[in-house]
Amino acid sequence: MKLLFKQKFFSWFDSYNIFDESGNTVYTVKGQLAWGHCFKIYDKNHKEVGMIKERIITLLPKFEIYMNGNYAGSICKKLSLFIPRYEIDFMGWNVSGGILEWNYSIYNRDGGTVADISKKLFNFTDTYEIDVKDNKNALSALMFVLAIDAEKCSRN
């Protein structure tokens, strides 16, 4: 399953739709007014299925992931010089990618690929394609990518 998300050129709160390969809206992401980043993810039936919230009082950016109202894990930026490194406490996953942070992969604890993420260049706004290997991981992979993207935004 491939998911595509394209951030809006101008939005008071980061809000956008997530599409499947056929162009159907699968999820909607709505930014919330809060200290730090806070996103709520809704399914196509407008039911809240997840939330990503930035922890404010931390040395480096840290994002908590909630699924169906329950804490599911976190992603925290590690101190590193060139290639970004993360401390990940989410489903036993880890990430590996390039120096520009545009293309990377998510791996499970056994080393199998969960998803490949690629940033589409030459767009007015950030546009990402998430190629999820197993449909049951689609929401989790999306939330993971949103947390990584929010961390990059908080750095800038």
Side-chain angles (χ1 to χ4, degrees), residues 52-150:
I52 299 165
K53 186 172 184 172
E54 183 177 10
R55 296 288 303 204
I56 298 302
I57 305 177
T58 59
L59 181 60
L60 294 169
K62 181 177 183 175
F63 293 84
E64 294 179 338
I65 300 172
Y66 296 85
M67 298 181 76
N68 296 312
N70 299 313
Y71 177 80
S74 66
I75 297 173
C76 183
K77 176 83 164 87
K78 283 184 173 179
L79 195 55
S80 61
L81 292 178
F82 297 109
I83 298 175
R85 304 269 186 235
Y86 299 94
E87 181 178 315
I88 300 167
D89 175 26
F90 183 66
M91 301 182 71
W93 291 358
N94 61 57
V95 64
S96 177
I99 191 166
L100 296 177
E101 303 177 68
W102 289 343
N103 299 305
Y104 57 95
S105 296
I106 303 169
Y107 299 98
N108 63 26
R109 64 177 52 103
D110 299 326
T113 303
V114 174
D116 293 311
I117 295 79
S118 58
K119 182 176 182 178
K120 302 299 176 193
L121 301 178
F122 309 113
N123 289 297
F124 286 111
T125 61
D126 286 346
T127 302
Y128 292 92
E129 181 178 279
I130 306 167
D131 185 3
V132 183
K133 305 307 177 194
D134 186 342
N135 290 355
K136 70 178 182 173
N137 290 324
L139 176 61
S140 300
L142 171 64
M143 294 180 66
F144 190 96
V145 171
L146 289 170
I148 296 285
D149 187 60

